[in-house]
Amino acid sequence: MSQDWVARSLKSVWHPCTQMQHHETVPLIPVSHGRGVWLYDHDGKRYFDAISSWWVNLFGHANPRINAALKDQLDMLEHAMLAGFTHEPVIQLSEQLSDMTGNVLGHAFYASDGASAVEIALKMSFHAWRNGGQADKQEFVCLEGSYHGETIGALAVTDVALFKDAYGPLLRAARTVSSPDARNAREGETAQDVARRAAADVERLFEERAGKIAAIIIEPLVQCATGMAMHDPLYLKLVRELCDRHQVHMIVDEIAVGCGRTGTFFACEQAAIWPDFLCLSKGISGGYLPLSLVLTRDEVYQAFYSTDVRRGFLHSHSYTGNPLACRAALATLAIFREDDVLNRNRTRAERLSAALAPLASHERVKNFRQRGMIWAFDAVEPDAARASTFSRRFFASALDNELLLRPIGRTVYLMPPYVLSDDDIDGLAARTRTVFESVITA
Ligand SMILES: Cc1ncc(COP(=O)(O)O)c(C=O)c1O
């Protein structure tokens, strides 16, 4: 059964972020259904979804409460355009999210994928300055090792050569500042020292050309896509101060790290700051439907409010604010409230960290790190040829051990759903150790 689906898929589906030729050797798994932390193929083989299907799934596959909310919504309203119309799910979601920021970020603008939210934040920032008479503020600043998505605008503020180089001529250059990645600590330095050093880099740039800069965009606390680079919250506090002092917008991209992933609902809560724009996607719909949004301050909203249509934000997507996606998000937020998820995740995280301790101290592991519900470590693989195939070998071995784990280069990471039982946690740690040992010694 499975093999038939694989053959048909390879003939007709162009898979994302994939050199399709690799599927001559790398397995393609046809998923039949999912339940909780498990995905099942057509032959009944199961895989522990330890990366939450690209970091989107929060409360397991086929979650009964999100399913029920969606079934109810299906019979009410599947979709209606959001220009000139509005509906309960989008209103309630906007109100709840604004409340969760203490109403500092008072308006929500919707799209579908993460990259679209990034495009919106960049356009809004530029346009808000322009409406305020500062049309020269046109530049964007991003961090070394940043990742904000694959559309042309988002790719321009992404610092991953592999994704970016082929499209170089199409992209508007952004300014790149050093990453506060705690792994950059020099002898005797703490993570906070690295944060201060990286913030000083931002300060130098702002002093030189803040008059030309619209915004700095940051993945707060964890730069996920380029290898789970973690930094101290102090960095966000310092950049917030610099943005205030130099009149530069702060965009935080919480597409990967929002929705409780770092331990607080929003990552920036750990720095006690709010940005001017906050991008959210992935987990907000519980991993059910494409939904993204940008929360922004009322000052920004007011900069567009006018009798002149051209001063408005004339951006749209057909499925903006889709009621089904918003309803899935409301069900997701209800689970956070009703199940005390953030507190229970602290207990889960302690148990998983303890279970992973033998890996943390393994001689072929360095930089073991954890924040909230993210764990990562870098494999030591001195042989260059083996290092270059580490990720693919690990993925294949993980599948053999009923595990869905896809390292980024030599960085192995876990980003499991928030429904782990004690048995799930112990099993996940044991499988990860088995796979690591087999890949490192094979
Ligand atoms: C921080 C961050 N921003 C933006 C994106 C892009 O989101 P999407 O893939 O939904 O376009 C991602 C995706 O991984 C991400 O991690």
Side-chain angles (χ1 to χ4, degrees), residues 141-144 176-179 194-208 216 235 242:
V141 180
C142 64
L143 271 54
E144 227 171 37
T176 309
V177 288
S178 1
S179 166
V194 183
R196 279 191 205 91
R197 202 149 43 77
D201 199 22
V202 177
E203 185 167 21
R204 272 192 296 278
L205 181 65
F206 282 7
E207 275 170 0
E208 196 188 303
I216 180 167
Y235 179 74
L242 290 169

Side-chain angles (χ1 to χ4, degrees), residues 54-56 112-118 146-151 154 158 217-220 222-226 253-257 279 281-282 290-292 415:
W54 260 350
W55 324 338
V56 301
S112 307
D113 292 296
S116 308
V118 170
S146 58
Y147 181 83
H148 298 288
E150 302 295 341
T151 53
T158 285
I217 182 164
I218 297 172
E219 295 155 83
V222 190
Q223 294 180 276
C224 295
T226 48
D253 176 347
E254 297 225 8
I255 288 163
V257 295
C279 304
S281 186
K282 290 196 185 273
L291 179 68
S292 67
M415 264 217 207

Side-chain angles (χ1 to χ4, degrees), residues 3 27 43 46 64 97 126 129 142 169 176 187 235 260 282 285 326 332 335 350 370 377 389 395 409-410 431 441:
Q3 279 321 304
D43 299 328
R46 61 179 195 164
L97 288 171
F126 163 74
W129 290 121
C142 64
T176 309
E187 184 80 29
Y235 179 74
K282 290 196 185 273
S285 72
C326 290
T332 300
I335 296 175
E350 273 168 27
Q370 176 257 336
F377 60 87
T389 58
F395 174 62
R410 268 164 295 137
R431 284 168 211 270
T441 54

